[in-house]
Amino acid sequence: MDAPHGALITEVAPNGPAARAGFQSGDVVLSVDGQRVDDPSAFNFRLATKPVGQTTKLERLRGTTKTTVDFPVEAAPAPAENAVVTISADSRFSGVTVRQLDPALAESKGLPYDATGVIVTAVAANSPAEAMGLQVDDVILQLNDTDIKDAQTFSTTVSQKVRTWQIILQRDGRVSRAIVSG
């Protein structure tokens, strides 16, 4: 490269439009429809201003080879119908709303595309969930040795009557373990 510019692709969502267009980690996007990309924010802006359904041309640098790739502009997939759960039953988790992580949500929260778990989207005031210390954007990874991969597993697990809960969650990039009474 004569002068450094472009947006480095660090991660590609599996089965997403970038993966289908053949992009790989390590590729550099140099331009969008002929408009130079100087940094990642310029790439995000140029791509975000393209209408959904349109195909745009991205100039890609892979190693020392430049190519132009047709790239379909797609809307982020909507969450599955059962991807959001609010717990309102008699439970230590009553008052919490969680959403199952998907690649688009993970990206918007600064998490890897393949992040798993459920993310807390709301905690009702004066609820058992608030008293337990749950916070918006906590990612619940495991409850009592059950991996929480989706909202339905979370809902089923928290409906159990147990003496204590062992919770593994991620908050602000740190994974922690807590034990609270049932």
Side-chain angles (χ1 to χ4, degrees):
M1 223 186 255
D2 49 342
H5 72 281
L8 177 66
I9 304 294
T10 58
E11 190 175 18
V12 178
N15 303 315
R20 290 192 303 275
F23 280 89
Q24 300 173 357
S25 177
D27 289 346
V28 178
V29 177
L30 301 173
S31 68
V32 176
D33 286 336
Q35 292 185 303
R36 181 178 157 130
V37 170
D38 290 317
D39 55 45
S41 62
F43 170 70
N44 290 340
F45 174 77
R46 295 198 196 306
L47 196 59
T49 59
K50 301 296 177 186
V52 171
Q54 177 180 330
T55 298
T56 189
K57 295 197 178 299
L58 302 181
E59 183 181 21
R60 171 182 68 198
L61 176 66
R62 178 176 293 160
T64 58
T65 306
K66 290 182 185 178
T67 56
T68 300
V69 177
D70 288 333
F71 185 80
V73 179
E74 299 176 11
E81 283 184 31
N82 59 354
V84 178
V85 171
T86 299
I87 306 301
S88 58
D90 181 23
S91 165
R92 187 73 166 100
F93 293 85
S94 181
V96 71
T97 301
V98 299
R99 179 174 162 196
Q100 181 175 311
L101 283 170
D102 56 45
L105 178 59
E107 179 190 24
S108 74
K109 298 296 182 177
L111 300 168
Y113 288 114
D114 60 354
T116 60
V118 294
I119 190 164
V120 175
T121 58
V123 180
N126 303 315
S127 67
E130 182 185 56
M132 186 176 14
L134 290 178
Q135 298 177 13
V136 170
D137 288 341
D138 283 349
V139 178
I140 299 172
L141 304 170
Q142 196 176 78
L143 294 171
N144 288 358
D145 297 323
T146 299
D147 290 334
I148 304 300
K149 301 279 187 197
D150 55 53
Q152 293 307 306
T153 302
F154 177 78
S155 179
T156 301
T157 303
V158 301
S159 68
Q160 300 170 12
K161 300 294 181 198
V162 298
R163 293 182 83 114
T164 59
W165 287 102
Q166 178 180 321
I167 304 168
I168 298 177
L169 62 81
Q170 181 176 337
R171 179 180 291 162
D172 298 327
R174 293 191 176 115
V175 175
S176 61
R177 179 183 314 251
I179 297 177
V180 296
S181 64

